[in-house]
Amino acid sequence: MIFKKLYVGLLGLATAVLCESTMRDMSRTTITASTSSTSLSLTVATPGTPVSPKVLLIANEFEFEYLEAYNFTTRYTGVLFDKLFVCTEYGTVCKLECGEELVSASQITALMMIPGVDLKKTYIIISGTGGVNPKYGTAGGAAISTFGIQWEWGSMFLGDDLPSNFSGQYFASYAQLSPDKYPVTVGSEVYKLNEALVDRFYAVGSKVSFEDVSETAQGFRATYEYDAAKKTPFLAKCDTVSAQVYWHGDVAGENVEYYTNVITNGQGRPCNTNEDDQGRLLALFLGAIHHTVDFGRVSIIKAFSNFDRPPPQLSAYQSRFYVGEGATEPGLRNAWKTIIAIVHDVLVNWDTVYDTGIKPNTYMGDIKGTLGGVCDFNSTSSAAKGSVQGS
Ligand SMILES: *[C@@H]1O[C@H](CO)[C@@H](O)[C@H](O)[C@H]1NC(C)=O
Ligand SMILES: *[C@@H]1O[C@H](CO)[C@@H](O)[C@H](O)[C@H]1NC(C)=O
Ligand SMILES: *[C@@H]1O[C@H](CO)[C@@H](O)[C@H](O)[C@H]1NC(C)=O
């Protein structure tokens, strides 16, 4: 679907520029992380030292600058592992500062191979920031997700090469008769997490009170069409879609919703757009296949740093580059506050609840049923007859 936008005026833009100039630049390209206060007095563990954390937090380096609840004292290193993996004194809570998307996949794989690091019983919380779909949440809020969806697996055409009957440049990998047909898949397109764990974490996290965003950001959110967008920051329960490219705007947003709807048979509620999650899930899923990680203990709790599309008075370009990721700071503080409450729940109820694990109450795994069970969101794949892969 293509939405033509009426250009209303530069009023909002002027405010946005003002706001932006007083803000710390949080854009991904310019963050060269820095002051991890935790990394100043670290002991490096002797190679092979055993550590079996109850909780592992995963995010980008700058995102951890908003987390001060734990004293990470000990660093673990290994072959091919060049990121920061540090734990509290008794190895109970650890964090991995890693890169994004497919970069993080290789880093997490290297982490899982450090001798002594045992993640078999670890609750792994993927955090960080992303854009929010105004239908499901608001900037400065956060979400806990059941589905992780990879958007850009497929084919792409640009400009005049784009068939006129399609609205976006992304296509499924193989020719389809129409965009609503279930595509031929490779397996990593969707991961569904443990819904019972999501419910438990959501119940704990939704009791946490959130701080509000700046007045400028409050002004923007009031102009969105959707009720969720207009609210003060809150914890939503909805899903993440990630890609190597950070998209923005109504057209991309609608296409992502369309794809999510097809690939999960209507189950996914896509709200967080980012360049992190599917790479991380892919590595952890590999770990689960090889029994180094329990996939039933993996969760995604992410902050909303901005809306994934503009308010009606701005273009997508203005919204992306002049409003920017303006809710990053309150969003991250709210997300970490949620996560701290959840970690507390894990530690306090370890013996009675978490040690043995929380059994999934619905299908959990990838699109192919690789971990066993019957996938409850896939369909029969099809490629168009007469195309290369079509029969
Ligand atoms: C972390 O260490 C500092 C300095 O030793 C101490 O004051 C603080 O209470 C510790 N925080 C936690 C959460 O243990
Ligand atoms: C869309 O356009 C392509 C390329 O022209 C064509 O092959 C295909 O059949 C069209 N699909 C539909 C659903 O009309
Ligand atoms: C759907 O999942 C089942 C396992 O439950 C698998 O056998 C089948 O190949 C999957 N279909 C697709 C299109 O991936």
Side-chain angles (χ1 to χ4, degrees):
M1 255 175 284
I2 309 265
F3 289 82
K4 273 250 178 296
K5 303 219 73 68
L6 275 181
Y7 182 63
V8 174
L10 278 170
L11 223 69
L13 178 62
T15 329
V17 173
L18 262 175
C19 162
E20 177 76 2
S21 64
T22 57
M23 258 183 47
R24 184 160 161 213
D25 186 355
M26 281 293 168
S27 82
R28 289 179 165 71
T29 42
T30 53
I31 294 289
T32 50
S34 42
T35 54
S36 217
S37 54
T38 54
S39 55
L40 295 175
S41 54
L42 290 174
T43 314
V44 180
T46 312
T49 304
V51 61
S52 48
K54 291 189 169 73
V55 178
L56 167 62
L57 309 172
I58 298 179
N60 298 318
E61 193 171 353
F62 88 89
E63 292 158 344
F64 277 114
E65 287 174 23
Y66 297 84
L67 175 68
E68 286 165 354
Y70 312 106
N71 283 334
F72 297 106
T73 57
T74 314
R75 175 175 193 163
Y76 298 79
T77 57
V79 176
L80 290 181
F81 182 74
D82 61 0
K83 301 312 286 184
L84 192 68
F85 174 66
V86 289
C87 301
T88 52
E89 192 179 354
Y90 301 106
T92 310
V93 179
C94 302
K95 69 166 177 176
L96 169 69
E97 293 183 355
C98 66
E100 298 180 71
E101 206 64 283
L102 60 82
V103 172
S104 61
S106 67
Q107 293 162 343
I108 291 171
T109 305
L111 167 70
M112 293 189 295
M113 294 176 71
I114 298 179
V117 172
D118 178 355
L119 303 176
K120 289 188 193 70
K121 283 195 161 188
T122 305
Y123 287 84
I124 300 174
I125 301 174
I126 298 171
S127 192
T129 58
V132 59
N133 179 345
K135 294 176 188 172
Y136 297 125
T138 192
I144 178 160
S145 302
T146 302
F147 287 97
I149 294 151
Q150 180 184 31
W151 189 29
E152 90 280 48
W153 183 265
S155 304
M156 187 183 79
F157 302 99
L158 289 175
D160 289 348
D161 297 331
L162 207 54
S164 58
N165 55 3
F166 286 86
S167 64
Q169 78 263 39
Y170 287 126
F171 293 78
S173 298
Y174 305 133
Q176 311 264 158
L177 275 180
S178 68
D180 65 340
K181 291 274 179 285
Y182 203 83
V184 176
T185 58
V186 292
S188 62
E189 289 88 349
V190 185
Y191 295 109
K192 186 178 175 193
L193 303 181
N194 179 352
E195 249 188 308
L197 186 70
V198 169
D199 290 345
R200 169 103 189 186
F201 281 3
Y202 178 75
V204 174
S206 52
K207 294 194 187 98
V208 171
S209 61
F210 278 11
E211 66 176 88
D212 208 345
V213 292
S214 69
E215 273 180 32
T216 313
Q218 291 180 31
F220 277 125
R221 83 175 171 222
T223 63
Y224 280 86
E225 180 187 347
Y226 306 100
D227 292 343
K230 294 179 195 292
K231 287 172 131 182
T232 54
F234 65 100
L235 179 67
K237 204 204 258 184
C238 47
D239 303 315
T240 100
V241 183
S242 73
Q244 290 286 131
V245 176
Y246 196 57
W247 67 91
H248 193 79
D250 286 306
V251 179
E254 293 289 338
N255 273 282
V256 163
E257 289 179 58
Y258 192 91
Y259 176 73
T260 301
N261 191 40
V262 171
I263 202 79
T264 66
N265 263 305
Q267 285 198 46
R269 300 174 78 232
C271 68
N272 190 305
T273 75
N274 64 80
E275 296 170 284
D276 299 316
D277 296 342
Q278 210 63 1
R280 293 168 185 181
L281 288 174
L282 184 122
L284 294 170
F285 194 76
L286 177 74
I289 294 171
H290 295 278
H291 308 291
T292 62
V293 158
D294 176 354
F295 205 64
R297 298 178 187 224
V298 175
S299 69
I300 304 178
I301 304 169
K302 296 201 84 147
F304 293 135
S305 51
N306 57 285
F307 285 103
D308 72 356
R309 59 200 77 182
Q313 69 277 24
L314 297 182
S315 69
Y317 183 90
Q318 290 167 335
S319 168
R320 173 72 189 110
F321 294 117
Y322 292 91
V323 178
E325 294 164 36
T328 297
E329 301 194 17
L332 276 173
R333 282 193 291 265
N334 288 333
W336 286 126
K337 221 173 150 189
T338 306
I339 290 169
I340 290 164
I342 286 166
V343 171
H344 180 75
D345 187 59
V346 171
L347 300 183
V348 166
N349 299 298
W350 182 263
D351 291 338
T352 49
V353 178
Y354 288 100
D355 187 7
T356 48
I358 293 179
K359 250 178 98 105
N361 52 358
T362 61
Y363 172 78
M364 173 190 82
D366 68 352
I367 213 163
K368 305 255 181 207
T370 307
L371 294 180
V374 179
C375 181
D376 64 1
F377 59 81
N378 75 8
S379 274
T380 308
S381 295
S382 64
K385 274 200 172 34
S387 68
V388 175
Q389 285 81 15
S391 49

